[in-house]
Amino acid sequence: MRRIISVLLENEPGALSRVVGLFSQRNYNIETLTVAPTEDETLSRLTVTTTGSDKVIEQITKQLNKLIEVVKLVDLTEGAHIERELMLIKLKATGSQRAEIKRTVDIFRGQIVDVTSSVYTVQLAGDSEKLDGFIQAVGTSGVLEVVRSGVSGIARGEKVLSL
Amino acid sequence: MELLSGADMLIRSLQDEGIEYIYGYPGGAALHIYDALFRQDKVKHILVRHEQAAVHMADGYARATGKPGTVLVTSGPGATNTITGIATAFMDSIPMVVLCGQVASTLIGEDAFQETDMIGVSRPVVKHNLSVRHPEEIPEVIRKAYYIAATGRPGPVVVDIPKDMTTPNERYEYAYPKKVKLRSYNPAIRGHAGQIKKAVDMLLAARRPVIYAGGGVVLGKASDQLTELVRKLGYPITNTLMGIGCYPASDKQHLGWLGMHGTYEANMAMHHADLILAIGARFDDRVTNATEKFCPGARIIHVDIDPASISKTVEADVPIVGPVDAVLKEMLSLVKESKQKPDADAIAAWWKQIEEWRAFHGMRYETSDDVIKPQEVIEILHRLTNGEAFVTSDVGQHQMFAAQYYKFDKPNRWINSGGLGTMGFGLPAAMGVKLTHPDDEVLCITGEGSIQMNIQELSTCKQYNLPVKIINLNNQALGMVKQWQDMNYESRHSQSYMESLPDFIKLAESYGHKGVRIEKKAELESKLKEVLAMKDELVFVDIYVDRFEHVYPMQVARGSMKDMWLSKTERV
Ligand SMILES: Cc1ncc(C[n+]2csc(CCOP(=O)(O)OP(=O)(O)O)c2C)c(N)n1
Ligand SMILES: [Mg+2]
């Protein structure tokens, strides 16, 4: 099953490589990985999406917790949560395509953030499925370039991941 | 406050940490540190002949004393030469700190002379690693390194020290921190009371219980607590190769060790158990055989300081995360308080069954009138040393024979590379032990293959007068490899034959030691006695043993615990 694991990590050089090293060393999957500093400058927040059996996921969280620089972590998929991914996508847009793409962007509640006579650059945020859905809707033949941020997530309601 | 250079701070920190010995080898990036070492005499430095040996020495010291070992090497090749030693310590959870020189921080990333990314290279085989980014940090980094290495599930910690952190003429205020602040590292200090209660209830209700103890009991210094609990319950106990000595092998409740080359009775008891209490063990593949066939009728209680060890390969019914000594102590007091007593009839019937298994096989091998059997060498050594020696070993058949036939009644005396299986471990480990146990007998049981992987340390032994006894069970082959080839590759002995062996006697003599060769069975015991009488000499004992011997029992690959070869022809 797909899981979103959110980690508070000491904001120190080398900490990220330990996390990434752990995944490859123990043969765990990484589907997406995002990392950035938090409001507390001593901490980074890392979100990793991975797949595996319950047993593998249990090992992943335990092994992550064993890393000295991992301060706290939560498997967001264990409860209600919000996940978001940002996509920037460049689409071929000429003639009648332009109106068609504009309509699709509106339906997906994206924004056209850059325009040339033949290209639209679209910004879209949502869960990963929505982004996949958009690419499908516009058709891969018109896609010139895609960049996705990887998943960020947060629990719904009162629950917070903090010290 | 005192003003010290980074190098002096490093050495002072080691003194304040109570470090007696460091094992190492100098080089450019470590020279400031070596100079600081020269100007004091509290911390003693042992100069090895290869950095790998320095790590195994620190490892042997740590296993025998329970205290973290310390290594000091230079950058680049000095540092990379330690990797096998570090990986060995990592697999067996041995506490140690490896101090590595590094090129100056201003040169890092420029492919400078003898630059290696030691933090990156060591990452997968350390508990943690740290780099020094400012000389002032040195005391704190050192304190942290030892704290992390020695607490929780122990392990090796690497400290990378760029040369400009130890510059002699830059001085800083020195104070050694009493405590370390690590918000993200808090090893458990006791087990969950509810879980322990549940475990004890299950233990007392069991009909076919087995206690399965591992190296964690030795590392956690919990042998006394374990022994008391096991005696109180009257249940059978087996332990892993790493757990040897955690419970007296001469006691009748002890079934010997389990797993691939474990005893018939230990493996049979495990397979038929209805309850397994695993303590400080990790259900390693050399123990469980095929996990899907592992102990089908057993419920499992698993006690370990490392939560990641629990339910990693075999699912635990009752997981208990905590230090083994504290958990065992709580279990014992609950057992004593409990009104419930073990079911005497069921336990008696279980013991009857176990005694039958014991009688069926026990540990046996065929003796011969003229050829020396490796097993009998170990049995004689056991007798001649009253079972009290520290025994280190290398890796191969000789290791298994030593573990099977030397019966250890005390922990910390059986010292081998269990998890990584590192040939070359035995001699330097023995040196580390002998250095701090000069009055104890220290035997290194080895093979002619393994001993040649760190043979250069005979020179170190001379320099520091380390009279260990090297027992070379010379079968003129990479015996364990050959055994697998006999069993799985129709005896095609691909590259498992050792040609052009040196004359080990002359070799030992050229290093200034004694050498004794034993070829005839008739002279085996008398010559071994002579060897052991040479208290102040390192003696290299080259014993020509049966070249065709195999280690048995041996679990059948991909079978269950109970599927074993008992000899070349008997399979159960
Ligand atoms: C460094 C290293 N290389 C290779 C091996 C694989 N290996 C395991 S046992 C063995 C043979 C050891 O031969 P020897 O030391 O003579 O012991 P014997 O089995 O003959 O008693 C080998 C090559 C290993 N364990 N370690
Ligand atoms: Mg051999």
Side-chain angles (χ1 to χ4, degrees):
Chain A
M1 217 183 85
R2 175 170 175 275
R3 303 292 188 111
I4 306 172
I5 298 168
S6 213
V7 182
L8 285 178
L9 194 65
E10 296 286 0
N11 188 3
E12 277 173 15
L16 177 62
S17 66
R18 253 183 255 280
V19 173
V20 177
L22 174 72
F23 274 76
S24 67
Q25 179 189 346
R26 294 193 182 263
N27 221 353
Y28 306 144
N29 288 318
I30 296 185
E31 284 190 350
T32 73
L33 175 74
T34 69
V35 59
T38 64
E39 79 291 355
D40 174 350
E41 63 185 24
T42 66
L43 288 174
S44 318
R45 172 115 175 195
L46 178 146
T47 312
V48 56
T49 57
T50 182
T51 52
S53 63
D54 288 353
K55 189 171 163 175
V56 170
I57 300 294
E58 185 183 327
Q59 267 298 308
I60 292 177
T61 56
K62 284 175 167 178
Q63 293 291 350
L64 279 170
N65 261 318
K66 246 173 99 166
L67 296 178
I68 308 284
E69 281 125 339
V70 168
V71 185
K72 238 179 185 181
L73 66 81
V74 63
D75 178 350
L76 288 172
T77 24
E78 276 180 353
H81 63 278
I82 299 160
E83 71 167 275
R84 287 292 179 272
E85 196 179 349
L86 177 73
M87 175 165 72
L88 295 171
I89 179 168
K90 243 176 217 185
L91 299 165
K92 214 187 304 157
T94 48
S96 65
Q97 281 174 325
R98 291 176 84 86
E100 180 61 30
I101 290 172
K102 175 83 176 61
R103 244 194 322 274
T104 315
V105 170
D106 287 342
I107 292 169
F108 280 81
R109 284 195 246 147
Q111 288 162 288
I112 297 170
V113 290
D114 190 46
V115 180
T116 72
S117 57
S118 60
V119 169
Y120 276 164
T121 302
V122 175
Q123 167 187 314
L124 191 64
D127 61 23
S128 306
E129 264 177 39
K130 173 174 160 181
L131 305 193
D132 295 342
F134 178 79
I135 295 175
Q136 229 170 16
V138 294
T140 45
S141 62
V143 175
L144 299 171
E145 186 179 349
V146 178
V147 51
R148 294 170 70 147
S149 64
V151 173
S152 293
I154 199 161
R156 283 191 183 275
E158 317 266 294
K159 254 205 270 175
V160 290
L161 177 64
S162 67
L163 290 189
Chain B
M1 240 188 232
E2 242 178 311
L3 293 182
L4 295 179
S5 74
D8 285 320
M9 279 204 275
L10 176 64
I11 300 302
R12 268 294 285 282
S13 301
L14 296 178
Q15 293 174 356
D16 287 340
E17 189 63 38
I19 303 308
E20 316 161 76
Y21 290 105
I22 49 185
Y23 316 92
Y25 209 91
L31 285 184
H32 298 328
I33 304 172
Y34 270 89
D35 190 59
L37 202 54
F38 189 84
R39 290 182 275 100
Q40 58 89 55
D41 54 12
K42 278 197 188 141
V43 181
K44 291 178 215 62
H45 181 276
I46 306 295
L47 177 70
V48 292
R49 301 297 181 265
H50 187 295
E51 289 89 349
Q52 182 188 344
V55 187
H56 293 329
M57 253 189 114
D59 185 321
Y61 165 86
R63 292 185 204 230
T65 62
K67 294 188 266 184
T70 306
V71 174
L72 172 60
V73 295
T74 189
S75 65
T80 54
N81 267 352
T82 65
I83 290 294
T84 301
I86 294 172
T88 303
F90 180 66
M91 288 296 271
D92 291 343
S93 307
I94 304 304
M96 69 167 62
V97 172
V98 181
L99 307 164
C100 298
Q102 179 57 283
V103 301
S105 60
T106 48
L107 296 177
I108 288 180
E110 296 184 358
D111 300 319
F113 178 64
Q114 296 196 327
E115 179 186 355
T116 303
D117 172 15
M118 187 57 182
I119 294 292
V121 170
S122 66
R123 192 190 307 115
V125 292
V126 292
K127 180 168 175 186
H128 194 56
N129 53 28
L130 298 155
S131 4
V132 176
R133 286 188 214 99
H134 193 280
E136 271 175 312
E137 290 177 5
I138 287 176
E140 197 193 330
V141 168
I142 296 299
R143 183 74 202 89
K144 258 191 204 171
Y146 282 97
Y147 175 67
I148 293 171
T151 52
R153 179 177 180 174
V157 175
V158 163
V159 182
D160 200 45
I161 311 164
K163 191 165 184 182
D164 51 339
M165 301 297 125
T166 54
T167 312
N169 45 21
E170 290 170 24
R171 288 164 202 278
Y172 303 88
E173 285 186 356
Y174 173 82
Y176 197 62
K178 289 199 181 62
K179 273 203 188 141
V180 232
K181 282 189 300 268
L182 275 169
R183 59 179 168 187
S184 55
Y185 174 72
N186 302 296
I189 47 169
R190 55 176 302 184
H192 186 280
Q195 292 287 89
I196 296 177
K197 174 83 181 62
K198 199 164 148 194
V200 168
D201 290 344
M202 280 165 71
L203 261 179
L204 293 172
R207 303 177 63 79
R208 296 185 311 281
V210 177
I211 291 153
Y212 149 48
V217 176
V218 178
L219 294 166
K221 305 181 176 79
S223 293
D224 292 344
Q225 290 88 336
L226 175 71
T227 305
E228 206 182 333
L229 178 70
V230 173
R231 292 220 164 113
K232 177 83 197 152
L233 288 167
Y235 291 175
I237 174 168
T238 176
N239 53 250
T240 65
L241 181 70
M242 291 306 299
I244 284 179
C246 71
Y247 186 91
S250 57
D251 188 87
K252 61 181 188 318
Q253 278 172 255
H254 191 254
L255 308 185
W257 50 277
L258 81 173
M260 182 175 274
H261 293 298
T263 65
Y264 176 73
E265 54 269 33
N267 288 341
M268 291 299 279
M270 284 289 285
H271 186 83
H272 293 93
D274 71 342
L275 183 80
I276 291 170
L277 169 60
I279 308 167
R282 59 186 179 91
F283 295 85
D284 153 78
D285 56 286
R286 285 295 189 267
V287 161
T288 59
N289 212 356
T291 46
E292 69 278 7
K293 298 176 190 163
F294 179 74
C295 303
R299 292 209 292 160
I300 291 167
I301 302 164
H302 192 173
V303 184
D304 204 286
I305 186 70
D306 177 10
S309 276
I310 298 178
S311 299
K312 180 173 65 182
T313 60
V314 170
E315 190 79 29
D317 297 287
V318 183
I320 301 173
V321 178
V324 282
D325 55 344
V327 173
L328 283 166
K329 221 165 128 191
E330 265 185 76
M331 283 187 160
L332 183 67
S333 60
L334 287 179
V335 167
K336 283 181 178 163
E337 282 165 22
S338 176
K339 285 193 202 67
Q340 195 186 348
K341 297 285 167 241
D343 181 333
D345 291 343
I347 300 301
W350 180 225
W351 270 116
K352 184 164 170 283
Q353 169 68 80
I354 290 171
E355 290 306 338
E356 278 168 27
W357 287 326
R358 232 183 214 161
F360 173 70
H361 186 67
M363 285 308 282
R364 61 175 147 90
Y365 59 92
E366 263 174 56
T367 50
S368 137
D369 289 339
D370 37 37
V371 185
I372 299 175
K373 293 284 178 173
Q375 298 94 327
E376 66 198 353
V377 177
I378 308 292
E379 284 184 323
I380 292 172
L381 285 169
H382 177 256
R383 186 150 34 81
L384 296 180
T385 57
N386 299 316
E388 305 236 290
F390 285 85
V391 179
T392 73
S393 95
D394 268 301
V395 174
Q397 292 182 318
H398 61 271
Q399 174 192 24
M400 295 300 120
F401 291 135
Q404 288 178 332
Y405 290 92
Y406 199 102
K407 306 284 181 201
F408 293 85
D409 281 348
K410 292 183 189 155
N412 306 94
R413 303 215 161 201
W414 165 243
I415 291 171
N416 83 140
S417 166
L420 199 69
T422 307
M423 290 170 69
F425 175 81
L427 175 58
M431 292 157 57
V433 178
K434 189 67 187 175
L435 195 61
T436 41
H437 299 77
D439 300 326
D440 286 292
E441 194 65 74
V442 180
L443 308 176
C444 165
I445 311 281
T446 186
E448 75 305 313
S450 295
I451 192 64
Q452 293 189 77
M453 286 212 180
N454 267 319
I455 191 84
Q456 76 287 346
E457 296 309 316
L458 286 174
S459 172
T460 312
C461 290
K462 189 68 200 168
Q463 182 172 350
Y464 298 97
N465 182 32
L466 300 171
V468 300
K469 303 292 179 281
I470 298 172
I471 310 294
N472 187 33
L473 298 182
N474 192 339
N475 53 8
Q476 299 156 65
L478 300 175
M480 189 55 96
V481 172
K482 191 171 146 217
Q483 173 170 350
W484 283 53
Q485 289 169 338
D486 285 338
M487 296 176 78
N488 304 319
Y489 300 91
E490 297 166 324
S491 294
R492 288 186 297 278
H493 295 158
S494 177
Q495 306 297 321
S496 55
Y497 175 60
M498 289 295 266
E499 266 177 297
S500 313
L501 284 177
D503 180 334
F504 287 112
I505 308 305
K506 282 194 193 145
L507 184 74
E509 285 169 358
S510 82
Y511 278 107
H513 303 302
K514 291 272 181 309
V516 171
R517 178 168 295 124
I518 308 179
E519 286 171 286
K520 296 197 197 75
K521 180 164 163 147
E523 57 181 22
L524 177 61
E525 180 150 354
S526 59
K527 284 213 171 169
L528 285 176
K529 264 190 201 148
E530 283 168 27
V531 165
L532 294 173
M534 292 189 247
K535 291 275 171 236
D536 302 327
E537 301 276 1
L538 182 151
V539 189
F540 194 113
V541 194
D542 191 21
I543 309 179
Y544 279 70
V545 296
D546 190 343
R547 291 165 48 211
F548 304 102
E549 196 62 30
H550 281 181
V551 181
Y552 294 109
M554 179 162 180
Q555 282 176 335
V556 174
R558 292 172 296 280
S560 72
M561 290 289 291
K562 71 171 180 4
D563 301 317
M564 287 169 269
W565 286 98
L566 297 180
S567 71
K568 284 182 185 167
T569 50
E570 295 162 90
R571 185 183 158 158
V572 289

